Amino acid sequence: MSTPRSADYVVVGAGTAGCVVARRLLERTGATVVVVEAGGSPDGIASSTDPARWVENIGAPHDWAYSYGPEEHLDGRTLFLSRGKVLGGSGSTNALVWVRGHRADYDGWAAGGATGWSYDEVLPYFERAETVDVEQTTDLHPVARALIEAGVSYGMPYLDDINVAEPLGAGPITMDVAGGQRTSTWTGHLRPVRDDERLTLLTGVEVTGLCLRGERCTGVRVQTAEGDVEIRADREVVLCAGSINTPRLLLSSGIGPAAQLREVGVDPVLDLPGVGENLQEHPIIAGLCFEAAEPLPAPTHNLEGSMAFWHSAPEVAVPDLTYVSVQIPYVSAEVAATHPVPANAFVLAPGLMSVRSRGRLRLTGNGGLDIVANMLADPADLEAAVAGVEIGLELADQPAFRKLVTRRAAPGAATDRASLTAFVRQAAMPYFHPVGTCAMGTGDAAVVDPQLRVRGLEGLRVADASVMPAITSANTNAPTAMIAEKAADLIA
Ligand SMILES: Cc1cc2nc3c(=O)[nH]c(=O)nc-3n(C[C@H](O)[C@H](O)[C@H](O)COP(=O)(O)OP(=O)(O)OC[C@H]3O[C@@H](n4cnc5c(N)ncnc54)[C@H](O)[C@@H]3O)c2cc1C
């Protein structure tokens, strides 16, 4: 197919957000839409369609394969950062948990200046996004069942639906699955309309820059077999390239902190200090590892199947911790090096879900990216993560887990605060939830306004996980789909 030279809308990236935006623009407007996606189709890729094989997506050819670090507060470790490079984006490669987050997340966005994004205002968009099939897990693996039983005997409520407004407690999860196969915004939103004559879906094509004329974004530059081509957007360009590549495109097009851009040889076009700043990520502690007493059955669901939401301290109002029990010995390389991990083992993994630490991404002079999540930089985050491990050890000591376990492989015998703090710095891994690098708001640090328009430019919006002003207190895929649903309303 030859590359079209113009359309009403150009959507950059067909990931979780891009597939929704494109579908809704086709439905709501009579407009033509070009979607440019760097990756190809996930449809024949087993790791992308079979839920229990999702971990094989990490580092696969359809992964952008970024990294965080060195992370100063994690003993200088460098951490792999997976991002899907495929139709459906990270939603075609992720761990398939569909969870909206807590009412307070969105009320917090609205209170901080994101007018129109309170929980009550975004709820209809979650509901609309859920026309993609999602299912609750049943027939749980013994390790998944044990997490729920242990949570309840520890004192947590049983949580029969993780998508209530204020999730607290332990229960089965909702997954992006139908008939045993992964669903995504690709399968649910864009694939069904791919033959629409108003849609041009370019795959294997990377957007390399934005075309700017005065204060207007007029289109994008793409690299194709025909060479560098400009695609004009008669109405708008919508950036849906995700929390790493959306700010990367803005920065390389001269939109960002002017002094920083000059340092790496990019002529600033618009001084927008927030681009690439405010990066937030959830640390997952990988992990509290237990040798199983009996051979464990083959993994099921997404290797987890259940989840718990809890507080790191009684006075923490919104649950800031989650727990998953992973049906394989999922531990960081550093934990594996110091705590020999048996084959027949499982992991209890605390996740820190509300974070004060902020990272950032920058261009390097040679066209690369320097991304630092700064995980656990804020002492409060470190303290909450250590509390998460302490509570995790108490959960593991409940009868439901005790009967499954012969011995603990990690952490070691010493469980004083200093030892667990050292363990956390070695065990923390990213949940692969980067957000916030093009934050929505009204202050100087905001990159987009509450209508998702890039501040200071016409014809350019961002609609993806990068616009979250603050990370949600659960996984980030459903909130991204919600953002895309609302974006389509704002555009159309
Ligand atoms: C391994 C993994 C596990 C995860 N597990 C979960 C989970 O279980 N539950 C959950 O809620 N969240 C999970 N997440 C996070 C969640 O998937 C993301 O928050 C969400 O997909 C982000 O959506 P997005 O639209 O912002 O970006 P993406 O879905 O990443 O989409 C960006 C798209 O843009 C394309 N693109 C980027 N740059 C360009 C360019 N220059 N030109 C053309 N195309 C481009 C990319 O190839 C990609 O398709 C996980 C993520 C990963 C990677």
Side-chain angles (χ1 to χ4, degrees):
M1 179 199 307
S2 72
T3 309
R5 296 303 197 264
S6 72
D8 293 321
Y9 295 101
V10 176
V11 176
V12 179
T16 295
C19 289
V20 174
V21 168
R23 166 72 181 261
R24 298 304 184 210
L25 289 177
L26 290 170
E27 272 172 7
R28 309 262 175 76
T29 68
T32 52
V33 179
V34 170
V35 178
V36 189
E37 167 55 46
S41 174
D43 292 347
I45 304 177
S47 58
S48 180
T49 51
D50 179 351
R53 292 182 64 178
W54 73 267
V55 276
E56 296 168 36
N57 292 316
I58 299 173
H62 54 281
D63 191 334
W64 287 91
Y66 287 117
S67 62
Y68 285 134
E71 291 288 307
E72 186 184 339
H73 304 276
L74 303 181
D75 298 336
R77 295 161 57 222
T78 297
L79 307 171
F80 190 80
L81 171 60
S82 182
R83 299 281 87 201
K85 185 179 189 177
V86 63
L87 289 167
S90 303
S92 289
T93 65
N94 73 12
L96 304 99
V97 182
W98 181 271
V99 56
R100 295 174 183 171
H102 195 283
R103 170 191 292 280
D105 297 333
Y106 308 100
D107 289 345
W109 292 6
T115 309
W117 293 82
S118 68
Y119 181 76
D120 289 340
E121 288 164 301
V122 301
L123 185 57
Y125 296 105
F126 277 112
E127 289 165 349
R128 195 180 291 173
E130 287 159 18
T131 50
V132 166
D133 290 322
V134 293
E135 266 179 14
Q136 201 177 47
T137 53
T138 54
D139 298 327
L140 293 180
H141 189 277
V143 160
R145 228 173 23 240
L147 174 65
I148 300 175
E149 287 169 21
V152 170
S153 68
Y154 174 78
M156 297 179 183
Y158 174 74
L159 184 63
D160 65 357
D161 178 3
I162 60 172
N163 285 304
V164 294
E166 300 182 9
L168 175 72
I173 54 171
T174 303
M175 285 177 57
D176 313 314
V177 167
Q181 299 271 299
R182 176 192 293 270
T183 58
S184 66
T185 60
W186 161 243
T187 66
H189 284 89
L190 198 55
R191 195 172 64 186
V193 297
R194 68 183 147 183
D195 295 328
D196 189 310
E197 58 186 20
R198 286 181 290 118
L199 170 69
T200 307
L201 175 57
L202 300 174
T203 54
V205 176
E206 195 167 327
V207 173
T208 52
L210 304 175
C211 307
L212 303 164
R213 306 264 183 282
E215 290 177 355
R216 186 169 179 85
C217 176
T218 55
V220 302
R221 262 188 315 281
V222 300
Q223 225 164 32
T224 70
E226 305 155 60
D228 271 6
V229 171
E230 206 171 303
I231 307 176
R232 198 181 71 232
D234 290 331
R235 295 192 195 167
E236 287 192 24
V237 171
V238 189
L239 293 179
C240 302
S243 294
I244 306 300
N245 282 9
T246 286
R248 181 183 203 167
L249 268 174
L250 290 171
L251 292 170
S252 57
S253 305
I255 302 163
Q260 222 185 76
L261 289 176
R262 277 191 206 99
E263 272 172 34
V264 292
V266 175
D267 287 336
V269 175
L270 175 67
D271 186 14
L272 210 48
V275 178
E277 300 296 318
N278 190 47
L279 192 157
Q280 294 158 66
E281 173 64 277
H282 289 140
I284 181 167
I285 310 303
L288 319 188
C289 182
F290 304 91
E291 185 167 14
E294 303 287 335
L296 289 171
T300 62
H301 299 107
N302 62 343
L303 314 185
E304 297 166 5
S306 64
M307 186 171 178
F309 297 79
W310 198 240
H311 315 262
S312 61
E315 65 276 10
V316 175
V318 177
D320 57 344
L321 296 173
T322 55
Y323 291 88
V324 289
S325 51
V326 189
Q327 300 156 17
I328 55 170
Y330 163 62
V331 297
S332 72
E334 292 78 5
V335 168
T338 47
H339 301 72
V341 168
N344 184 40
F346 68 90
V347 155
L348 185 60
L352 182 62
M353 291 294 164
S354 80
V355 294
R356 296 190 193 180
S357 307
R358 297 289 182 266
R360 48 99 188 132
L361 69 82
R362 304 221 161 119
L363 297 180
T364 58
N366 56 9
L369 268 188
D370 171 21
I371 318 172
V372 174
N374 248 332
M375 283 201 290
L376 305 183
D378 191 298
D381 289 356
L382 182 62
E383 194 170 321
V386 173
V389 171
E390 288 170 340
I391 295 166
L393 291 173
E394 289 183 54
L395 283 172
D397 206 29
Q398 300 298 311
F401 275 126
R402 247 188 288 145
K403 70 180 183 218
L404 289 180
V405 168
T406 54
R407 75 177 180 97
R408 187 170 84 220
T415 54
D416 57 283
R417 275 240 140 185
S419 303
L420 291 186
T421 303
F423 176 75
V424 160
R425 292 192 202 277
Q426 292 279 300
M429 302 272 280
Y431 235 115
F432 303 139
H433 294 166
V435 307
T437 47
C438 297
M440 151 172 58
T442 48
D444 286 346
V447 174
V448 298
D449 68 14
Q451 278 73 46
L452 305 179
R453 297 174 295 214
V454 173
R455 292 172 59 230
L457 281 177
E458 282 170 26
L460 183 62
R461 281 189 224 239
V462 178
D464 60 25
S466 70
V467 304
M468 294 187 201
I471 197 163
T472 54
S473 55
N475 314 49
T476 49
N477 194 46
T480 306
M482 174 279 286
I483 288 167
E485 290 283 4
K486 186 164 160 87
D489 261 16
L490 293 169
I491 298 166

